[in-house]
Amino acid sequence: MSSVPAKPADLVTVNIDGKDIAVPKGTNVIEAAKLLGIEIPHYCYHPKLSVVGNCRMCLIEMGLPAVDPATKAPIMDPASGKQKVNWMPRAQIGCATNAMPGLHIRTNSPMVKECREGVTEFLLINHPLDCPICDQAGECKLQEHSTAYGRGYSRFVENKNVKPKRTQLGPRVTLDDERCILCSRCIRFSKEVAKDDVLGFIDRGSYSTLTCYPGKKLENNYSLNTVDICPVGALTSTDFRFKMRVWFLKETPSIDTESSVGANTVVWSREGVIYRITPRQNDAVNDTWMTDSGRLLYKQVRSEDRLLVAAINGGTSAYDMAMKAASDLLRASLSAGASGEVRIVGSGRSSVEEQFLTKKLAAALKAPVALVSRVGKGDGILLSADRNPNVRGALVTGLISALPSQQLTSLAADIDAGKVKTVVAINEDLAAADLTAAQLAKVSVIYLGTHKNATSAAAKVVLPTLTVFEKSGTFVNQQFRLQKFTKAVPGPEGLADDLVTLANLAASAGAGALPSDLTGLWSTLAAEAPVLAGLSYAKLPATGAVLDSAAWAGLPFVEGETLHFKPAAVPAAANA
Amino acid sequence: MAYVVERKPLSLSERLYIPQVLAGMKTTLKHFFAPNVTMEYPEQRPAIPPGYRGVPTLVKDPHGREKCVSCQLCEFVCPPKAIRITPGEIPADAANAHVEKGPKAFDIDMLRCIYCGLCQEVCPEEAIWLQNQYSMSGYTREEMVNNKERLYELGGTLPDQHFKWDKKKAAEQRGNAHH
């Protein structure tokens, strides 16, 4: 596979359509041609899956330099003065052909063209051309390849096969059997990546059908990846089905926030409405996959319990008024003299920039900061045990120095002892972290968050914030990889960016004027956090940058092994 | 590529202007002596030539099935962005479930429409047609937005050459001998 790093010594030269290219030995011919900008059309081949060679679309002509069988001496062509090439008389499949020294490939010869036309004609025998309905329109390889490599007309006069149209393979995936071209990508994905061998073909010939094993369903948390890799419109997402044409949608690079894996995603939106989330390729983090659960996160943007207006003492208010009330509360705590009357509960779900401003706020208030750890069960693929996307960001920015625990025990004790007057909770439900209603009632809570919960109900001041889809920033994932996400849709009317809210709060607490934009913040961040030196949001590559994690190597992180991550130490059972 | 149009110098008769003035006078004089015709619009309406591009409408096929499958190609191609479609799934228990998809809502904003006919051109189902109706008026902006019901009312039924969906249903009912 091409992902295996090769030493320069392993490079072999292959000749594709008359052009020489040096590639690592064993590189797939389709990949080698791609490096030259030559497309070898294919359906069943996928760079992250095993090769089966059953679609026959990638047929190429192949030849090797001629040598004398007896003497092994090269046979020269007297006309050109070069070594003669022995072309194989029939076409070969590109996906199962690996680069070897002297390999010659033709991708545009008359024989190859005829092969492609034939394969396309065969595929279209039973494939309905219901492109106006099919959700794959705009992303359909069959549509593209039929136009580019097809004959343009069909000689098929018999009745077309009629197969079931709306088979539910699982809770999230719908199969249209008529459109399936039996490439087996979904089968191989389930078996090889999701490790849940549920799919298979039954019957033969034109009756061959994709189905689940008896008594099983395609319901693992990676089932929607089969939809992504289906080259035709056979597998569709039940959620996205018939909702919107992909060519209307704007693609925004983002990060999956459901765990510390930090899978790279694309958020697809139109006119401020998000329609779907799909994975974005990052070979160091998530390859081309992501979880089904992460794809549903966009629903939180327009959920019923979203906080849309600021509130003071339970009554709605203008954002500015709530900001002023929050500032007054903080100033009152400061002027009371005794330090330590304010506690801050930060969040492992905030971005690096927000955590940095939280740290500034805490420093100005001389307030201790706690984070809440959220631990689930890791699945060993792309969902890690740590369900906070950015605990390492809090370590990197210096917001915290030890790993957070799941309960706010010390905060609860301090409230009971009457040492705390005000608690600033940033997107964290204190009640869920084991604070009782009585404890919440004893203190003034300033709540910054996106959704309603017990804490927002009990809070003196509620300042609504934005979801990850409505703002830009960075997260640090389990590999200490700094990755950026970008604003996909505008936030609800009247809400300020989280950075502005935090910078205002910090300013009112006496931290001085702080930048509330990413450019300004990053110049400060790079200066103050040693491991972030030299980095900036603007210059961060799409695949992220790995930070020096030596300072935190000894911490007992909870993550177990995932797709591209091996924990340095044995994970703590749970740091409760 | 830039294309340069050569400007020819005026000929002698053109430079004199007199033949042109006379030709203009001839047209004017013709109207002096022609009988006066006033069309009593809107009671009388002019004959519409075939192929006229009037108001875009949605049509049904002779069996009363709505032809649009909400592929949104017209919405995509519409230069002034006058068309807005909300796609929807046809329920599996509906009589036309084999069509799978139909528009939940279909709006054409006639204040935006420029009658270019690209929507008709691009429609793979021959569901949207610019017909003879050319006069749209209303007192509010909302009135000038044709919704799905209004579009079908304006469009009515047109003859169908293909009956694609009938064929599909027949194939489905015939089924597959081996299953």
Side-chain angles (χ1 to χ4, degrees), chain A residues 318-374:
Chain A
Y319 173 82
D320 290 346
M321 299 297 288
M323 192 49 146
K324 191 173 169 299
S327 306
D328 288 347
L329 271 176
L330 292 181
R331 276 205 208 94
S333 310
L334 274 181
S335 62
S339 65
E341 288 198 329
V342 184
R343 292 284 189 282
I344 293 179
V345 180
S347 174
R349 292 188 283 193
S350 297
S351 70
V352 170
E353 297 78 14
E354 287 156 29
Q355 287 170 340
F356 179 68
L357 286 177
T358 311
K359 185 194 160 198
K360 291 282 176 194
L361 174 67
L365 291 165
K366 296 190 188 66
V369 180
L371 247 63
V372 181
S373 153
R374 208 171 275 108

Side-chain angles (χ1 to χ4, degrees), chain A residues 40-110:
Chain A
I40 298 179
H42 55 267
Y43 294 111
C44 71
Y45 169 75
H46 188 282
K48 302 287 175 192
L49 297 175
S50 62
V51 170
V52 290
N54 56 7
C55 76
R56 320 309 284 183
M57 190 63 189
C58 61
L59 287 168
I60 47 162
E61 263 192 274
M62 176 181 154
L64 284 169
V67 286
D68 189 287
T71 62
K72 304 290 176 208
I75 299 173
M76 305 307 280
D77 183 5
S80 65
K82 287 181 181 165
Q83 191 172 4
K84 212 177 138 193
V85 176
N86 278 340
W87 291 99
M88 291 168 84
R90 290 285 171 262
Q92 309 294 314
I93 49 173
C95 66
T97 306
N98 290 336
M100 55 185 126
L103 182 72
H104 280 62
I105 297 292
R106 282 187 197 146
T107 71
N108 53 7
S109 66

Side-chain angles (χ1 to χ4, degrees), chain A residues 64 98 117 285 393 417 458 484 493-494:
Chain A
L64 284 169
N98 290 336
E117 281 180 8
V285 179
K484 65 177 169 186
E493 192 185 339

Side-chain angles (χ1 to χ4, degrees), chain A residues 129-133 135 159-162 165-166 176 178-179 203 207 209 241-245 247-248 270-271, chain B residues 69 71-73 75-76 84 87-92 97 99-101 124-125 165 168 171-172 174 176 178-179:
Chain A
L129 292 177
D130 51 357
C131 305
I133 289 169
D135 263 337
N159 285 329
K160 284 192 179 232
N161 230 353
V162 180
K165 296 290 283 183
R166 305 181 202 215
D176 187 327
E178 275 185 353
R179 297 189 193 131
D203 295 345
Y207 307 114
T209 305
R241 194 171 148 88
F242 301 159
K243 291 269 165 64
M244 189 50 65
R245 288 290 177 189
W247 55 69
F248 286 116
R270 183 188 186 195
E271 294 174 353
Chain B
V69 293
C71 72
Q72 297 184 288
L73 277 179
E75 182 177 356
F76 183 71
R84 176 50 52 110
E89 186 166 3
I90 297 173
V99 185
E100 292 191 85
K101 203 175 160 202
E125 301 286 331
W165 296 104
K168 189 178 151 86
E172 196 177 289
R174 191 173 57 242
N176 190 317
H178 294 255
H179 279 263

Side-chain angles (χ1 to χ4, degrees), chain A residues 229-244:
Chain A
I229 57 174
C230 183
V232 297
L235 293 175
T236 52
S237 157
T238 311
D239 179 42
F240 181 63
R241 194 171 148 88
F242 301 159
K243 291 269 165 64
M244 189 50 65

